[in-house]
Amino acid sequence: MKNLVLFLLGLSAQLCFGQANRFIYQVTMKPDSANPNDVRTENAYLDVSGQKSVFYSEKSMKRDSIFSRARQTGSFNFDRNQMQSLRSSIDYTIEKDLKTGVKTFKSRIGRDQYSYEEDRAIDWKITPETLKIGDYKTQKAEAEFAGRKWYAWFITDMPIQDGPYKFSGLPGLIAKVEDAAGDYSFDLKEAKKIAEIQNPDSRGTVIKVKRKDYEKQNEAFRKDPASFFAAQMSSGRGGFGGETRGGGMRTPDPNRRKQMEERLKEEIRKSNNPIELK
């Protein structure tokens, strides 16, 4: 918190020169409504520069870095334990145009990368309630969004109208935001200067769709993930147990495919409490 305080003291001057800044949030999630003791915590970055920001997982950035080095060296002999530890529950990236207010959500469904522009506004109601977070005074705001009621605390003297996930539009940087059920929370822990905003690796063509179409695709995938991968196998994009090598497709191992399919079904079963309920 001391580092955060020192950073924020000089932030206003830095913004005048258009420097990039990274705000590190601790994200706490309860993805399984049937098991409230399954609490997952990891860090996410909000990179801000000028009129643009990007919100993404710290683990995803580290995985991207490993894949990038592998492509450069041609060596794909990964440490499986390391890669497993870098699997993230924050499987999305959100880019914001802070000038126009456009928010672009990106995430994978199966092997395909999708994106859509958020078409719902967040109607904040600012309350007189204040809270001291570290050495900073924050003010409370409330909003209904995507099926949840959210409480946010923003730093009143911070000239950044942004925050984690899709949250923005308050007169100050959001230091904390949580839903009323206590299933999701984002807490600002650290801030620092960076050379430039990072652009998480999309790895392949991004399919642009409407939000409703994305939700339909995601729902269909969750109901029958194997059919998605089967279709992607036939189109040469990879699937259960198959990998593209040298422009061709390696024959999938039936046992590995079955194991991966069962694991995915179990993960989907335990991910029944999404951050957006509707």
Side-chain angles (χ1 to χ4, degrees):
M1 182 58 69
K2 180 180 179 181
N3 291 337
L4 177 60
V5 171
L6 293 175
F7 176 87
L8 295 181
L9 285 172
L11 181 58
S12 296
Q14 294 172 20
L15 291 174
C16 295
F17 295 97
Q19 293 180 340
N21 301 286
R22 172 169 294 162
F23 300 96
I24 302 174
Y25 288 84
Q26 178 178 288
V27 186
T28 305
M29 304 155 278
K30 296 180 181 179
D32 187 356
S33 60
N35 183 12
N37 293 323
D38 179 13
V39 180
R40 304 179 189 180
T41 302
E42 62 179 276
N43 289 341
Y45 296 161
L46 176 67
D47 289 356
V48 183
S49 179
Q51 297 297 323
K52 177 183 177 181
S53 73
V54 184
F55 182 77
Y56 57 99
S57 162
E58 178 184 68
K59 288 183 177 180
S60 294
M61 185 189 72
K62 291 180 178 179
R63 283 174 66 93
D64 287 346
S65 178
I66 292 173
F67 280 121
S68 178
R69 288 197 300 270
R71 286 193 292 270
Q72 291 174 2
T73 62
S75 174
F76 290 85
N77 295 319
F78 300 122
D79 181 333
R80 291 186 178 275
N81 291 331
Q82 180 188 25
M83 297 304 290
Q84 183 68 19
S85 69
L86 292 177
R87 295 188 66 196
S88 175
S89 297
I90 304 171
D91 57 352
Y92 54 81
T93 299
I94 296 170
E95 297 181 8
K96 301 191 193 89
D97 185 320
L98 302 178
K99 185 176 181 179
T100 65
V102 173
K103 304 170 186 176
T104 303
F105 176 97
K106 294 182 181 179
S107 186
R108 287 189 178 278
I109 301 178
R111 296 283 183 178
D112 292 331
Q113 181 88 358
Y114 288 82
S115 75
Y116 67 80
E117 290 186 3
E118 177 56 61
D119 55 2
R120 299 162 296 180
I122 301 179
D123 184 19
W124 293 108
K125 294 178 175 58
I126 298 176
T127 76
E129 185 177 344
T130 60
L131 177 68
K132 194 171 184 181
I133 298 179
D135 288 345
Y136 277 82
K137 178 182 177 182
T138 68
Q139 189 166 351
K140 186 178 181 181
E142 303 175 354
E144 299 277 351
F145 180 70
R148 293 182 184 273
K149 185 166 186 177
W150 293 92
Y151 304 116
W153 285 263
F154 61 95
I155 302 174
T156 54
D157 58 355
M158 282 291 298
I160 296 180
Q161 297 186 13
D162 201 2
Y165 193 59
K166 296 178 180 178
F167 303 113
S168 63
L170 285 168
L173 179 71
I174 295 174
K176 179 181 179 66
V177 57
E178 62 183 356
D179 74 302
D183 292 336
Y184 288 85
S185 68
F186 301 80
D187 295 270
L188 181 62
K189 295 298 181 182
E190 186 181 348
K192 59 184 179 181
K193 293 183 290 184
I194 56 175
E196 59 183 359
I197 281 183
Q198 295 294 308
N199 291 307
D201 189 356
S202 296
R203 293 197 297 276
T205 302
V206 178
I207 303 171
K208 296 182 179 180
V209 295
K210 298 291 186 181
R211 178 177 61 85
K212 289 294 186 181
D213 292 329
Y214 170 85
E215 292 173 351
K216 289 177 182 178
Q217 285 284 83
N218 194 42
E219 182 179 358
F221 170 72
R222 290 177 61 84
K223 286 182 178 179
D224 188 7
S227 68
F228 271 75
F229 285 102
Q232 290 166 351
M233 281 284 291
S234 64
S235 65
R237 297 201 303 276
F240 281 124
E243 298 178 13
T244 300
R245 294 292 176 87
M249 181 61 62
R250 189 178 67 183
T251 302
D253 182 316
N255 292 328
R256 182 167 177 247
R257 173 176 175 172
K258 182 66 175 178
Q259 291 173 357
M260 293 177 67
E261 184 176 346
E262 292 301 322
R263 186 185 69 184
L264 180 56
K265 287 181 178 179
E266 181 67 7
E267 288 177 354
I268 290 174
R269 186 184 69 80
K270 292 182 177 181
S271 299
N272 53 67
N273 186 30
I275 188 170
E276 297 189 11
L277 298 176
K278 64 180 183 179

